[in-house]
Amino acid sequence: MVQQVSEFFEDFGYIGIFIHSFIDAIIFPIPAFFTQVSLSMLDPHSAIWLATVGYIACLLGTPVGYLIGKKLGEPVLHKFLKPKWVEKATESFTRNGEAAILIGAFTPIPFKVFTILSGCFHYSVWKLIGYAAIGRAVKFYVVGIAFYLFGQASEEFVTQYLTYFMAGIAVILLALFYFKKKLVKKKKQRPERQENVVG
């Protein structure tokens, strides 16, 4: 199924990666990653352009996914996507808030789960687009640059080890968000202590 889908979009070249990336951010269950890899394998010299087209399309599709979540709610996720993806993403969103969106761009959980959940939770659409812009840039351009620099030799890294690489980035980001949270909490506590001392 995955191969058939990527082969279908592959036939349309740049238009194919654009359409697949756009609908990938909305509701389509198969990630645009597969089409990007297939097209980059065919022509490694165009890999960065393919990454750029896919990246722009993904950002354009992000607010559409958000609107679906806002208007139709969480049931739409259960209708089209695996329950385990929805559960993990919901747990991550509840626990980590805005960090979940950025980290979601690096995890195997399809990104449309996070775009729709953002709408369900009435999260800021501009923050969603901002975090999507950072996270999806990394995901698209790591693949694009790898193929551009190393050609078809990148296939093994991209298909077998990229998930671990992205998971490593996600862990680092989680740690940064955790320390940021603690720092903000400490700053809030300082004025309270000063007020108590004065009082």
Side-chain angles (χ1 to χ4, degrees):
M1 175 72 173
V2 172
Q3 193 176 347
Q4 288 171 329
V5 168
S6 62
E7 282 175 1
F8 171 79
F9 286 113
E10 189 185 299
D11 290 340
F12 297 94
Y14 285 104
I15 296 169
I17 185 69
F18 184 92
I19 294 168
H20 195 172
S21 298
F22 182 79
I23 59 175
D24 176 27
I26 300 169
I27 200 66
F28 198 66
I30 297 167
F33 166 81
F34 296 103
T35 299
Q36 185 189 5
V37 170
S38 297
L39 287 167
S40 298
M41 282 282 291
L42 287 172
D43 184 11
H45 292 292
S46 66
I48 291 176
W49 280 112
L50 288 164
T52 303
V53 171
Y55 173 62
I56 291 167
C58 176
L59 289 186
L60 291 173
T62 296
V64 180
Y66 176 88
L67 284 172
I68 288 171
K70 198 168 185 178
K71 299 292 181 188
L72 303 177
E74 204 173 314
V76 75
L77 285 170
H78 293 282
K79 197 172 182 181
F80 293 100
L81 300 164
K82 290 179 183 177
K84 65 174 184 178
W85 287 343
V86 180
E87 285 164 21
K88 280 183 182 177
T90 306
E91 186 187 340
S92 179
F93 215 109
T94 309
R95 232 189 243 173
N96 304 308
E98 60 186 32
I101 299 166
L102 183 56
I103 293 158
F106 301 99
T107 65
I109 300 169
F111 191 62
K112 79 276 293 169
V113 179
F114 292 95
T115 63
I116 294 170
L117 273 179
S118 296
C120 294
F121 289 130
H122 300 282
Y123 186 74
S124 164
V125 69
W126 296 111
K127 278 190 177 181
L128 169 65
I129 293 167
Y131 284 121
I134 299 165
R136 300 312 277 176
V138 175
K139 192 133 191 182
F140 275 102
Y141 283 105
V142 164
V143 175
I145 291 166
F147 275 105
Y148 182 77
L149 294 176
F150 306 106
Q152 294 179 347
S154 304
E155 185 187 11
E156 189 180 354
F157 163 72
V158 168
T159 55
Q160 292 182 34
Y161 302 107
L162 186 65
T163 303
Y164 300 108
F165 178 77
M166 292 296 178
I169 295 174
V171 168
I172 293 165
L173 286 171
L174 262 176
L176 288 171
F177 270 99
Y178 173 75
F179 287 118
K180 183 192 169 187
K181 218 173 182 180
K182 283 194 84 173
L183 201 67
V184 170
K185 201 175 180 182
K186 276 184 182 179
K187 281 181 180 177
K188 281 181 180 177
Q189 285 172 347
R190 276 175 196 166
E192 286 174 13
R193 284 174 188 166
Q194 284 173 355
E195 279 174 22
N196 290 334
V197 171
V198 173

